[in-house]
Structures are given as C-alpha cells and as structure tokens.
Amino acid sequence: MTAREPVADVSQRTGAVFFVRVTCRDLTQLIITDSTTLYRLRTEGGVFFFDAKQFDVDTLARKLRRGEQVTVGAHRLRDGNAWLHWVKTADGQVWAGEPTRRRWLAPLVLALSWLPIALALVLPGAVNIGWVLLRIALFCVAAAAFGWSLYRVLMTLHPGRRRLRRALAAMKRGQQPTLSAPPSYEAPPELARPDGVYGDIGVIQDRLRKVRVALKTYGSGRAQYSVHEYQLDCGGATFGLQTQAGDWRRALDPILARRSPLFLAQGDRVALLTSMADGEIRGVLNHSDGSAHVAFKGTPYTSMARWLVLVLVGLISAFMSVILLGISFYDWYERGVGPDYWDWLEVARMLGAVGLMLLLFFSAIGLIAERIHYFYFRARARVPLEKILGLAFQWRLRQQRSAIINELA
C-alpha cells in the first residue's frame, strides 16, 4: 500500500500561511514601473501573486511549464487569492527570496537604542539652545533606531514568516511539509447581463487586447500628484483607468500583504463596469483570476478623503505638540535651570490634556464634515456605486468566493 501524504484543509483566514502542491497553468508578468514588476501564477488550485524583487523570476519563468506540478508556500489574501513566498519545481529546485543579510544588526540596534537617550540625560543641565537642540536630536535618533529595529525584529519573529522559513528549510533537507488540499473554485462566470447600457451603468466583456501602464504627473508645486494610468484595449475601444502612485504598502514586508494587486494582462478576459455619468471605469471583474476591483472615486467614501482627514489630524496634532514643547523649552531657558524629572512629567501631562482636547475637537469637526459631505454628494449626480457593487458581489458569490471587493485607490 502506498503511503499517503498528510493533507490539511487550506485556511481561508486572511494572512493564514499554507503549503500546497498545484498544477501550473501560466505565469504572467505586469510591468508597472521600471522598479515595480508583478507576477501572477495561475494554477489549478488558486492564483498566486508575487513581486519580481523576491527572487530570480527570469530563470523561474523559463523553468515553469503548463501542466507541471509545483509545491508552493504562500499566505492568504482577503479575496481568497494568495501571495507566494517560495516555490519548488518538479525537478527539486527551490526558488525563494534571498535571506536577510546581517540578521544580527536589527537586534543589536534595538538593544543599543537606549544609548542616545542616556547620553541626552547626562548632558550638562545648564540651559543653552545648543544643548537643548542636541537633546532633541538624540531623542529623534533613539526613536528612529528603536522603530526601525523593532519593525525588523517583529518581521523576523512573525509567526507566518517563521512557519514559512521552517518549511523552506525542511524542503531543502528533502523533507515534505504538511500539504493542504487545494480549494475547488468554480471558473469565474460571465455576468448575467450581456454587453450594453443598463440605465446609468455600462457593461463591456471581452479579452484585453493590449495593456499599457504609464506613470503620469499632474499639477505643480503643492498641488502636484502622480498616478498610474492604465490604457486598456477591450471590446474594440480604449478605456482609461487611474490608480494612485507610490502605494506605501509596497514598502512593507510581503508577509503583511493583504490586498490583491490590480493585475491586468494582455489576454485576460474582463468585465468593465462604467458609469454613464462620466464614462469612467468604476469596476473591473477579472475572469482570469476571479478578483473584483471597484473605484469609489466621486462618492463620499473615497480613500483620498480618508487620507486627507488622517493627514489633517496628524499635522494639527504635530503642530500643537511642537508649540507646547517650544513654550516649555523657552520657560526653561528663562528660568536658567535645566529640565528635571518634574518638568518632563509636567510636559507629559500637558500633552495628554492637549491630546484629549484634540480628540474632542476632531470628533466635532468630523461630525460636521460628514453632514456637509453627505448633503454635497446628495445634490450631485450620483455615481451608480450600489449597482456596480451588487454586480461585483453577485459575480464573486457565483464562483463560490467570499464577498470581498478590492478598492481601486
């Protein structure tokens, strides 16, 4: 009797790490910028995304063939797809990211991050603008060193990262980790509606003949902003789609990825959902990987509006903190006595009181802004977002996926 390999169910929990043996269908590339290239590996057991910076994908692309079985280590994204971390081909070759160099550096910096604070505390107590500025600089150095080293240490100790690392080491020793059974998704179905105009939305379903991505910058000075412009040739016409450039999530460790990227490649069969009010693409349903993307632009729920609120709150809080610290430093300078324990305790109490007042202030401003925002958008031509979301949710559920829609930022 042949011994059966242990098989476990694939966890659909967001962020869950799993290992699975799947059969390759195709590997597709999407070049966004000169420094950003994404790949999509479609298999019989799911769709896996990864960044070209993770490992030598050029050689890997030449090795993978349609119908070849590979073993992969990945973690689950919100919409059911996954982010790939390593892959073992049929010939036993393992492809993984390069190990972190100087792994001892982050723990060492974390252990020594208290030294700038200790040095600041032993500086001469006489009030002098130079000594005060030096103390502030030392505190900033300590905060930066502590934040960077703590982040790197936490990423090294991340449970998912540790599990991936242990499984990879076992693979290299010739051992097989506990594999999961690939999920059985139905093929993404066509929309129930044929191409055409349905009131205030339009539906176009076809294969992408060509996909072009360009980085465009608009405005000048403080009003300058950059976007990625997608030019999609579909259904005999060219459609434009814009997303924000410089997504901060790409700077994080791949193990923290939770959202499937907007991946559109030549040959993908898609359904484009457009708004007849402005002709812009509001939804993209990709039949090739089962992902759905919806743009909230022009509605009261845009990501830009949320970022503006967060930036405003951060700037005002930082401004108030700097003003209060400046007043305290000037008071110490006038007294001619350096700050002691009680002075720092008074500063902490004052910052706490100001934080509470800012919380109440922003709560009131947020309530007023929400009402103004609501009545402003109610008076304008409404974007048919509810209908587009309904079509996207229905399409996702028909392929036995979760009702998770990715937001086009």
Side-chain angles (χ1 to χ4, degrees):
M1 180 180 295
T2 304
R4 297 180 60 185
E5 295 181 355
V7 176
D9 293 332
V10 173
S11 174
Q12 297 301 310
R13 179 180 56 84
T14 302
V17 170
F18 63 95
F19 315 103
V20 65
R21 178 175 294 165
V22 292
T23 303
C24 293
R25 293 174 58 189
D26 59 61
L27 180 65
T28 314
Q29 177 190 64
L30 174 63
I31 300 177
I32 299 178
T33 63
D34 293 339
S35 59
T36 304
T37 301
L38 297 178
Y39 281 82
R40 180 187 64 197
L41 175 63
R42 292 197 306 161
T43 70
E44 299 297 337
V47 178
F48 302 87
F49 297 99
F50 60 94
D51 197 303
K53 298 177 182 177
Q54 291 182 233
F55 34 79
D56 183 7
V57 292
D58 293 332
T59 308
L60 176 63
R62 293 193 297 268
K63 295 284 291 184
L64 292 180
R65 294 292 182 268
R66 183 179 180 87
E68 179 181 4
Q69 279 201 339
V70 296
T71 304
V72 301
H75 78 267
R76 185 69 61 195
L77 302 177
R78 287 195 184 100
D79 63 353
N81 293 326
W83 191 271
L84 187 143
H85 292 275
W86 53 257
V87 56
K88 179 183 178 183
T89 56
D91 60 1
Q93 192 168 4
V94 178
W95 304 84
E98 295 183 0
T100 303
R101 299 178 180 178
R102 297 187 294 273
R103 295 179 59 181
W104 50 267
L105 181 60
L108 178 62
V109 173
L110 181 62
L112 299 179
S113 59
W114 60 272
L115 286 179
I117 298 178
L119 181 58
L121 295 178
V122 300
L123 288 176
V127 174
N128 182 287
I129 189 63
W131 292 119
V132 172
L133 292 178
L134 181 57
R135 285 194 181 94
I136 295 175
L138 289 172
F139 281 131
C140 292
V141 170
F146 178 79
W148 174 83
S149 58
L150 181 63
Y151 169 74
R152 295 312 315 167
V153 169
L154 290 178
M155 289 301 97
T156 303
L157 300 177
H158 190 282
R161 176 67 69 188
R162 294 173 60 188
R163 189 180 175 194
L164 285 165
R165 192 163 53 241
R166 288 196 301 267
L168 179 61
M171 294 283 288
K172 292 181 177 180
R173 293 195 303 266
Q175 302 173 357
Q176 185 77 285
T178 301
L179 299 179
S180 301
S184 57
Y185 293 130
E186 289 189 1
E190 298 285 334
L191 286 181
R193 303 182 180 186
D195 294 359
V197 177
Y198 301 90
D200 44 9
I201 66 172
V203 177
I204 301 96
Q205 298 185 86
D206 200 356
R207 292 194 179 275
L208 294 175
R209 308 302 177 189
K210 186 177 294 186
V211 178
R212 298 176 295 276
V213 185
L215 179 63
K216 297 293 184 67
T217 301
Y218 298 95
S220 60
R222 296 181 179 178
Q224 183 174 337
Y225 65 98
S226 299
V227 296
H228 288 132
E229 286 194 353
Y230 289 74
Q231 296 293 325
L232 310 176
D233 292 348
C234 181
T238 300
F239 297 88
L241 179 64
Q242 289 186 350
T243 61
Q244 293 181 11
D247 190 353
W248 59 269
R249 298 179 186 87
R250 292 174 182 165
L252 299 177
D253 193 282
I255 195 65
L256 300 179
R258 294 294 181 268
R259 187 178 67 180
S260 292
L262 175 62
F263 196 102
L264 299 171
Q266 181 178 347
D268 284 359
R269 182 165 182 79
V270 299
L272 304 181
L273 309 178
T274 62
S275 169
M276 302 309 297
D278 51 22
E280 294 187 9
I281 295 178
R282 297 293 177 175
V284 179
L285 311 181
N286 195 332
H287 295 73
S288 298
D289 55 30
S291 60
H293 302 267
V294 174
F296 288 77
K297 180 182 177 183
T299 71
Y301 316 106
T302 62
S303 59
M304 180 64 72
R306 296 196 296 268
W307 275 110
L308 286 176
V309 171
L310 292 176
V311 170
L312 180 63
V313 171
L315 289 178
I316 294 180
S317 302
F319 176 76
M320 294 295 295
S321 301
V322 170
I323 292 297
L324 289 175
L325 290 176
I327 293 174
S328 299
F329 291 154
Y330 182 77
D331 179 61
W332 300 336
Y333 178 78
E334 287 291 316
R335 288 185 306 169
V337 179
D340 55 14
Y341 168 79
W342 300 106
D343 289 325
W344 290 111
L345 184 61
E346 184 64 24
V347 169
R349 289 175 178 173
M350 187 164 30
L351 290 176
V354 171
L356 180 60
M357 289 189 294
L358 287 176
L359 177 62
L360 298 175
F361 172 75
F362 286 125
S363 299
I365 293 298
L367 179 61
I368 296 173
E370 191 275 334
R371 290 291 86 191
I372 295 175
H373 206 54
Y374 171 77
F375 288 110
Y376 169 73
F377 276 98
R378 191 175 68 170
R380 298 179 61 191
R382 293 182 59 86
V383 175
L385 186 64
E386 293 81 4
K387 296 181 180 179
I388 292 174
L389 285 173
L391 287 174
F393 285 139
Q394 183 186 38
W395 181 76
R396 288 276 301 175
L397 294 176
R398 285 176 60 196
Q399 55 176 308
Q400 298 183 355
R401 299 286 189 103
S402 61
I404 299 295
I405 306 298
N406 299 307
E407 180 181 355
L408 286 174

